[in-house]
Amino acid sequence: MVNLYSKVFVLFLLLFLLADKKINSQSHSQVWPTIEMTGKVNKDLDLKFKYRNKYDFEEGESTASWVNFGISYEINDLTLGLYYRELSKTNRRGRYLERRPYVDISYEIFKNFKVRLRNAFRFRENYEENLIRNRFRIQYSTKLIGLSPFILNEIFMSNMSFNRNRVGIGFKKKIKKTPITLKPSYIIEFFRNDETRGALLLSLEIKF
């Protein structure tokens, strides 16, 4: 079974490297510093908080930032979450606010292999039309020399139309005798308008 997991991880890694060949044509390079906090209410129920800022090197400024909070409940291999996100974002119209209540469902199909479905309602300031966003992610992780490397692929849909494909690779590292876990990763996003974006995600997770 270990060999099977290793083969799956190598396959995902090869797919990521093939995707990375398009990185030379990307329109934007970004860095996403992120802080996550989890507080355990009881064995199965958690409180969640998350903050992220997206800095774009071509623009020379932060193009988006958001805060996220909610609850998650585990039932065996299934995790259900209810969340609210408030986002400040810049585009051609300037800076605007967006509010997103969403539902998050994760399921561990087998050890180290998870799928996630997220459905969000996007209420956008100064837009006549609001959107429904659906995201479907598959993620595989393993153990290697004290680290937990992972690779993922996620499809984004807006009002049932394809919006982008996100692939990423990274690792988790628990800092001994602390509640802190480091989760750096590299993300490549392919948009339907042929724009490509690469982002270094620097995530720090604290569990209470």
Side-chain angles (χ1 to χ4, degrees):
M1 187 63 71
V2 174
N3 289 334
L4 174 61
Y5 295 155
S6 299
K7 289 178 181 178
V8 172
F9 186 80
V10 169
L11 176 61
F12 273 86
L13 180 58
L14 289 174
L15 291 174
F16 179 86
L17 294 174
L18 288 173
D20 190 51
K21 289 184 178 180
K22 292 188 64 178
I23 200 65
N24 291 329
S25 64
Q26 73 187 37
S27 302
H28 295 273
S29 296
Q30 299 185 340
V31 61
W32 299 352
T34 304
I35 297 177
E36 303 178 58
M37 290 186 285
T38 300
K40 187 162 287 294
V41 178
N42 56 41
K43 177 184 174 182
D44 301 313
L45 183 65
D46 290 337
L47 298 178
K48 301 275 190 176
F49 173 86
K50 192 172 185 178
Y51 169 80
R52 175 172 295 167
N53 187 283
K54 295 184 177 183
Y55 181 86
D56 191 292
F57 290 101
E58 279 68 31
E59 299 293 336
E61 64 177 358
S62 170
T63 56
S65 63
W66 48 255
V67 292
N68 198 86
F69 55 88
I71 59 173
S72 68
Y73 188 78
E74 292 186 14
I75 308 172
N76 298 322
D77 296 326
L78 180 69
T79 302
L80 306 175
L82 293 174
Y83 297 92
Y84 172 78
R85 175 175 297 179
E86 188 154 305
L87 179 147
S88 175
K89 190 174 182 180
T90 300
N91 63 11
R92 297 183 185 91
R93 299 188 181 195
R95 187 164 287 272
Y96 69 95
L97 293 177
E98 182 174 325
R99 296 172 176 83
R100 298 182 190 173
Y102 65 90
V103 177
D104 191 289
I105 303 171
S106 298
Y107 183 72
E108 187 172 35
I109 297 178
F110 55 82
K111 186 179 180 181
N112 300 328
F113 188 83
K114 290 184 178 181
V115 296
R116 186 185 77 181
L117 177 65
R118 176 178 293 179
N119 295 321
F121 299 92
R122 301 177 59 188
F123 300 100
R124 302 179 296 171
E125 184 180 54
N126 300 325
Y127 278 78
E128 293 182 1
E129 181 186 16
N130 296 310
L131 297 174
I132 297 176
R133 168 179 282 180
N134 309 107
R135 296 167 57 175
F136 178 74
R137 168 188 286 189
I138 57 175
Q139 178 170 318
Y140 179 78
S141 60
T142 187
K143 297 288 186 181
L144 182 66
I145 56 172
L147 302 175
S148 299
F150 62 86
I151 197 159
L152 63 88
N153 192 105
E154 186 166 19
I155 302 296
F156 290 66
M157 307 283 289
S158 290
N159 287 352
M160 302 307 294
S161 296
F162 173 79
N163 176 263
R164 80 182 82 159
N165 182 30
R166 173 184 290 177
V167 294
I169 186 169
F171 67 86
K172 297 182 182 181
K173 174 61 179 177
K174 177 76 167 60
I175 305 301
K176 293 182 179 180
K177 300 181 180 180
T178 75
I180 297 173
T181 299
L182 303 178
K183 298 195 297 183
S185 60
Y186 188 73
I187 302 293
I188 308 174
E189 296 185 312
F190 304 95
F191 293 81
R192 63 183 176 189
N193 62 0
D194 293 328
E195 176 184 325
T196 308
R197 178 168 63 197
L200 178 63
L201 198 166
L202 302 174
S203 183
L204 183 150
E205 181 180 27
I206 304 173
K207 291 186 176 182
F208 300 99

